[in-house]
Amino acid sequence: MSGANAQRLLDDVEAFCQEIRPVEELCYVEHRYNDQLIPLAKKHGLLGMIVPTEYGGRGSDTVTYARALARIGREGTGVRTFFSGHTSIGEYPILTWGNDEQKRRYLPGACTGEKVCAFGLTEPEAGSNPLEMQSTYERRGDRFILNGVKYLISNGGIATTIVTFAYPKGGGRVSAFILDTATPGFAAEDLTAKMGMPTANTAMFEMTDCAVPAANLLGEEGAGFRIAMGTLVSGRISVASGCLGVIEDCLLEACNYAKERHQHGKAIARHQLVQEHIAAIEMHRIASESLVLRAAEAKDASTREPKNPELTARADILAAQAKMFAANASWDAADRAVQVYGGRGWSTLYRPGRHLQDTRVCRIYEGTDEILKLKIAASVLGKEYEAFK
Ligand SMILES: Cc1cc2nc3c(=O)[nH]c(=O)nc-3n(C[C@H](O)[C@H](O)[C@H](O)COP(=O)(O)OP(=O)(O)OC[C@H]3O[C@@H](n4cnc5c(N)ncnc54)[C@H](O)[C@@H]3O)c2cc1C
């Protein structure tokens, strides 16, 4: 992407963020889904940031997209999670493993908001180990018949298009499918008893004899696990970028408040123990930014040479490191910003309290802390020390 186009995209992201903020704040305190997010993202041309222009998108590279998501992350993890679900793990697998006909059928609509995307891998009995999934498919004529339940799916209740996964009935390897949610037998239910992100949609869905056209098989039959793991690299960079935004916002909020609030005869920003919080958040910001950009650059390098296994492995591990670090750093940054706000901090009326509630999930989805630690340790120790295959 040229520098001018990248700047235009980031300017549009900035305009979107300014417009979404008052709506998001109101929806948050009223504890309801932000139904202006998709219309505003459409207005500013942000529904296909990584999709090539020939399919109606902005053609962003990963580094620019990461910067865009960091800016969006400042508006809240719920807002950013919509983009992760729709773009990083929804459009991305169609773009990367779809054939030209699939790309033409799905991507232009996804870029205009006519289609909303999601990624359905997790099941009630299969989270950290997706290979324990119980969803199945069988071929009947020119259709695949899918059965199963998917759980905790971002955008799952608003999506028109879900990339989902199932085993062949009778044994074999997982395959990936593009599922239209209008298919008879599809039923979704919103999950609302969440600890945060009230403005974002999270749902479970059931597939009961859902007949998916054979043309909607994504990639080769049996390639589903590889597609899922490849997609998570893109997803993890998106989470890490969003967490960077959370840290940036916590820093801004904590600094502004600390300069305004006076106790013991001076601005609390002049108390050294308050400065300790500011310094810690700033260090989180700098370190997270470095890791996010490093991972995004590695992802761009592997996209340029998709058949180079070393570049693929490098992007995979750097994405895991960035996600693991930034998720924990954003949790600590939000906690410290709450502390700087004092009693007002412990409230969803102020940004630090909302960030604290919302960013906690970043240590769970797209690979828990534990799973990512095992992955990082094995990358250092060697393949023979992998905790699980
Ligand atoms: C808000 C939200 C949105 C989500 N969005 C999506 C989405 O869009 N698409 C999707 O497919 N999924 C999504 N998920 C699901 C998410 O990816 C899973 O919750 C996550 O992978 C963990 O799986 P689990 O919840 O089943 O926990 P489990 O796998 O049951 O893990 C429970 C605990 O055990 C630990 N554990 C498990 N195995 C090991 C091990 N081998 N060694 C050490 N510790 C281990 C875990 O780290 C964790 O601490 C979402 C989840 C949430 C909360």
Side-chain angles (χ1 to χ4, degrees):
M1 174 176 230
S2 74
N5 284 344
Q7 194 49 56
R8 240 189 309 276
L9 176 61
L10 295 175
D11 289 346
D12 290 339
V13 167
E14 181 60 40
F16 163 79
C17 288
Q18 288 183 18
E19 221 172 321
I20 198 81
R21 181 170 289 204
V23 189
E24 176 67 10
E25 297 203 333
L26 190 62
C27 292
Y28 202 105
V29 293
E30 292 178 353
H31 220 80
R32 62 182 164 87
Y33 169 67
N34 185 346
D35 63 3
Q36 290 310 298
L37 198 157
I38 295 175
L40 287 176
K42 176 183 177 170
K43 174 181 165 187
H44 293 285
L46 304 181
L47 290 168
M49 285 189 262
I50 61 168
V51 174
T53 49
E54 61 173 305
Y55 299 112
R58 304 291 292 259
S60 173
D61 52 63
T62 317
V63 169
T64 306
Y65 180 52
R67 289 189 201 282
L69 287 180
R71 177 61 191 90
I72 289 169
R74 280 160 59 182
E75 302 312 313
T77 298
V79 180
R80 194 271 308 150
T81 296
F82 164 77
F83 286 96
S84 292
H86 177 69
T87 298
S88 310
I89 56 178
E91 293 171 329
Y92 177 84
I94 299 176
L95 183 62
T96 307
W97 292 278
N99 57 38
D100 196 51
E101 186 273 326
Q102 290 169 336
K103 290 185 206 178
R104 294 210 176 277
R105 204 148 38 94
Y106 286 99
L107 295 178
C111 293
T112 60
E114 177 204 323
K115 293 188 190 297
V116 176
C117 300
F119 172 83
L121 179 66
T122 303
E123 297 188 359
E125 303 305 328
S128 297
N129 184 6
L131 288 172
E132 282 171 302
M133 77 174 67
Q134 294 169 3
S135 291
T136 61
Y137 71 89
E138 62 180 317
R139 178 101 191 214
R140 268 189 227 152
D142 60 355
R143 298 255 186 281
F144 288 105
I145 310 299
L146 267 66
N147 280 286
V149 176
K150 298 287 174 180
Y151 187 48
L152 288 167
I153 306 305
S154 303
N155 304 343
I158 55 170
T160 60
T161 307
I162 305 182
V163 172
T164 197
F165 303 84
Y167 276 113
K169 218 170 171 177
R173 290 190 301 167
V174 172
S175 292
F177 301 90
I178 307 172
L179 171 68
D180 293 318
T181 59
T183 307
F186 176 92
E189 187 181 329
D190 290 347
L191 301 171
T192 52
K194 300 183 287 186
M195 275 175 64
M197 299 205 301
T199 63
N201 180 269
T202 314
M204 61 188 291
F205 67 86
E206 183 159 12
M207 301 171 286
T208 309
D209 289 333
C210 279
V212 172
N216 280 26
L217 175 72
L218 186 61
E220 316 248 297
E221 203 170 349
F225 189 64
R226 190 169 54 82
I227 290 173
M229 293 304 109
T231 300
L232 287 181
V233 177
S234 163
R236 285 170 185 159
I237 293 173
S238 79
V239 176
S241 307
C243 289
L244 169 61
V246 169
I247 298 167
E248 289 170 350
D249 199 45
C250 287
L251 185 65
L252 192 65
E253 291 290 321
C255 286
N256 287 343
Y257 188 79
K259 286 177 186 170
E260 281 166 17
R261 175 74 175 167
H262 283 68
Q263 285 295 282
H264 297 279
K266 52 181 161 181
I268 59 168
R270 298 202 181 275
H271 295 305
Q272 290 181 350
L273 291 178
V274 172
Q275 291 193 2
E276 195 262 338
H277 290 306
I278 303 293
I281 303 174
E282 170 65 352
M283 291 314 295
H284 285 328
R285 187 190 68 75
I286 293 167
S288 298
E289 185 178 54
S290 305
L291 289 174
V292 165
L293 291 178
R294 203 160 147 257
E297 280 163 11
K299 181 78 184 78
D300 279 333
S302 83
T303 303
R304 280 191 295 273
E305 278 186 59
K307 295 212 164 85
N308 183 327
E310 276 169 29
L311 292 181
T312 305
R314 185 172 152 76
D316 182 34
I317 197 66
L318 294 193
Q321 291 171 352
K323 193 273 194 185
M324 154 78 199
F325 185 88
N328 281 273
S330 70
W331 169 245
D332 188 67
D335 185 46
R336 288 176 184 277
V338 164
Q339 196 68 16
V340 170
Y341 263 64
R344 289 177 183 83
W346 196 58
S347 161
T348 52
L349 286 179
Y350 296 92
R351 304 184 64 75
R354 296 200 290 268
H355 282 311
L356 185 70
Q357 285 199 147
D358 297 347
T359 200
R360 182 63 180 83
V361 76
C362 298
R363 294 178 48 203
I364 297 170
Y365 61 19
E366 308 259 3
T368 63
D369 278 358
E370 291 77 12
I371 294 302
L372 296 181
K373 280 178 190 168
L374 295 174
K375 188 177 172 71
I376 292 164
S379 77
V380 180
L381 291 166
K383 242 182 152 24
E384 64 275 31
Y385 288 89
E386 276 180 357
F388 48 85
K389 303 267 175 198

